[in-house]
Amino acid sequence: MLKYIFKRILVMIPTLFVTSVLIFTVINLPEGDYFETLVAEMQAQGEKADMSRVEFLKKEYGFDKPPVERYFWWVTGLLRGDMGYSFEYQLPVRDIVGDRLLLTMVVSFFTIIFTWIVAFPIGIYSATHQYSWGDYGLSFIGLIGLAVPHFLLALVFLYFANVWFGTSIGGLVDPQYLNQPMSWAKFKSVLEHLWIPVIIIGAGGTAGMIRSLRANLLDELQKQYYVTARAKGLPPGKALRKYPLRMSLNFFISDIGDILPSIVSGAEIVAIVLSLQTTGPLLIRALQSQDMYLAGSFLMFLSFLTVIGVLISDIALAILDPRIRLQGTATK
C-alpha cells in the first residue's frame, strides 16, 4: 500500500504541472488582459482611464513580459504559498478567498450531509421494494430533482421562504448582521437561511445518488451469495447490511474525488441567484474580468483537491471491496 501511495504521489506532480499549463493557457486565450478590459469598461461608462497608471501596473506585475516567463513566475509563487494579487479587489488572493472559504465549506458540508441522510434510506427502500408504489413515487421525485435546473429551484424557494417563513431574500444572514462579528444572534440567522441553499443544491445530488444506489443494490441483490444467504435463513436486514449494501457503495467512495473540490467551489449559479458570499461567484467574476492570479490560483487549488480526492477514493475502494486490487495482476 505504501509503495502504491508513493507512486501515485509521483504521478500527481506531472498531472498538476500539465493542469497548471492548461489553466494558464485557457485564461490567457482571450485577447488582452485585465487592464485592457478595465480600460474598455471605463471608456464605455464615459470615464477617463489613467493610462500611465495602467502601464505602471502592467510592468509591476509582469504583463509586459513573455507568457512563458509570466507562467513560471506564477507557478514558483504557488510553490512558495503565494497565490498572487487580485487586481480587481486590490488584495492578495489568499485574503480574498479566505474570507469566503469558511462560508462555502459550511454550506457544502451541510449539503453533503443532507444528501446522504435523504438518499441512503430512499435508495435502499427503492431497491428492496422494487416496482412498488413507493418505488415509483420516489423515483419520480428523483427524476424531478435531476430535471429541474437549480437556479429555477432557487427562485421558487426564495419566494416561498419569504412568503411562508418571512426569511429575507438572498444571502445567508439578515441585513442587520452583514459585516458584523459572529454572535449567537448572527449564528441563528445563518441557520435560518442555511436550509434554503442546502435543499436547492442538494436536490440534484440527492436524486443522482438515489438512482445510483438503487441500481447498484438491485444488481447485488440478484447475485448468488445473497440468494444463498437468504435461503439459509439469514434475516433480511442482516443479509442486506453484511454484503450487498457494502458492495453497492463503491460508486459513493469513488465520488470522493468530486466531493472535495465541490466543498470549496460550491454551486456557482445558485450562489449568484441567492446572493451568497461564497467562492463560486468570486471565481466566475475573476474569469470574466481576466483577473488571472485570482482565477488561476483558485483553479489550481481545486485541481489539487481533485487529485488528492481521487487518491483517497482509490485507497478507500481497495479497503472496502476485497475484489479491487491496487494493481492489475494475473489471477487464477
Side-chain angles (χ1 to χ4, degrees):
M1 177 68 77
L2 292 177
K3 184 178 179 181
Y4 171 77
I5 295 175
F6 180 73
K7 288 182 178 179
R8 288 293 300 270
I9 292 176
L10 291 180
V11 173
M12 289 179 187
I13 297 175
T15 301
L16 290 175
F17 170 72
V18 173
T19 303
S20 67
V21 173
L22 292 174
I23 289 174
F24 184 86
T25 303
V26 171
I27 291 178
N28 286 275
L29 277 179
E31 294 184 2
D33 51 39
Y34 169 78
F35 301 104
E36 294 182 11
T37 303
L38 177 63
V39 170
E41 289 180 355
M42 294 178 66
Q43 292 176 346
Q45 295 172 3
E47 301 179 13
K48 186 177 180 180
D50 187 353
M51 299 306 299
S52 60
R53 176 171 174 77
V54 170
E55 293 299 327
F56 170 78
L57 290 174
K58 280 188 175 184
K59 186 175 181 180
E60 180 72 15
Y61 292 104
F63 279 79
D64 59 338
K65 298 177 181 178
V68 176
E69 189 173 344
R70 285 193 288 122
Y71 165 76
F72 281 105
W73 185 85
W74 171 58
V75 169
T76 52
L78 289 178
L79 294 176
R80 296 192 306 267
D82 181 11
M83 301 180 72
Y85 190 82
S86 171
F87 309 119
E88 182 168 359
Y89 293 91
Q90 301 295 309
L91 287 171
V93 172
R94 182 186 305 172
D95 296 342
I96 300 171
V97 175
D99 293 339
R100 298 171 179 249
L101 191 58
L102 179 61
L103 184 59
T104 306
M105 294 178 67
V106 169
V107 175
S108 300
F109 174 78
F110 280 100
T111 301
I112 293 172
I113 297 300
F114 168 80
T115 302
W116 293 348
I117 292 176
V118 174
F120 272 80
I122 293 179
I124 295 173
Y125 176 85
S126 295
T128 54
H129 297 76
Q130 188 180 16
Y131 304 136
S132 64
W133 283 107
D135 180 26
Y136 285 127
L138 294 172
S139 297
F140 176 74
I141 294 175
L143 289 173
I144 292 178
L146 287 173
V148 179
H150 285 177
F151 73 88
L152 181 58
L153 281 177
L155 294 174
V156 174
F157 267 79
L158 283 179
Y159 172 78
F160 286 107
N162 184 258
V163 172
W164 290 355
F165 301 101
T167 303
S168 61
I169 297 177
L172 275 176
V173 293
D174 291 320
Q176 63 266 29
Y177 297 115
L178 291 174
N179 301 320
Q180 296 293 324
M182 183 58 67
S183 61
W184 178 246
K186 183 175 181 178
F187 180 72
K188 290 194 297 183
S189 179
V190 171
L191 293 180
E192 180 184 355
H193 291 74
L194 187 62
W195 66 273
I196 301 175
V198 164
I199 294 178
I200 294 170
I201 300 172
T206 300
M209 184 172 290
I210 289 172
R211 292 176 60 81
S212 299
L213 180 59
R214 178 183 182 276
N216 289 344
L217 190 55
L218 281 174
D219 183 61
E220 293 295 327
L221 292 178
Q222 296 173 4
K223 292 185 177 179
Q224 189 62 44
Y225 71 88
Y226 178 76
V227 177
T228 303
R230 293 289 293 117
K232 290 185 175 182
L234 197 66
K238 186 175 181 179
L240 178 68
R241 292 191 304 270
K242 190 168 180 63
Y243 292 113
L245 182 58
R246 178 183 173 186
M247 296 299 102
S248 63
L249 293 181
N250 286 356
F251 83 95
F252 167 73
I253 300 299
S254 63
D255 198 43
I256 294 178
D258 294 329
I259 289 177
L260 281 184
S262 67
I263 290 177
V264 175
S265 63
E268 293 84 358
I269 305 301
V270 174
I272 292 175
V273 174
L274 298 179
S275 302
L276 303 181
Q277 296 299 314
T278 56
T279 56
L282 184 72
L283 175 59
I284 291 179
R285 176 57 189 165
L287 292 171
Q288 291 175 336
S289 63
Q290 292 181 274
D291 197 348
M292 190 197 75
Y293 297 119
L294 175 56
S297 299
F298 192 71
L299 289 174
M300 275 304 300
F301 182 55
L302 295 181
S303 302
F304 175 75
L305 290 179
T306 301
V307 295
I308 293 296
V310 171
L311 175 61
I312 294 174
S313 65
D314 289 345
I315 296 174
L317 280 173
I319 297 174
L320 177 69
D321 192 341
R323 299 172 297 181
I324 297 176
R325 293 294 177 262
L326 298 179
Q327 59 184 3
T329 57
T331 57
K332 295 182 178 180

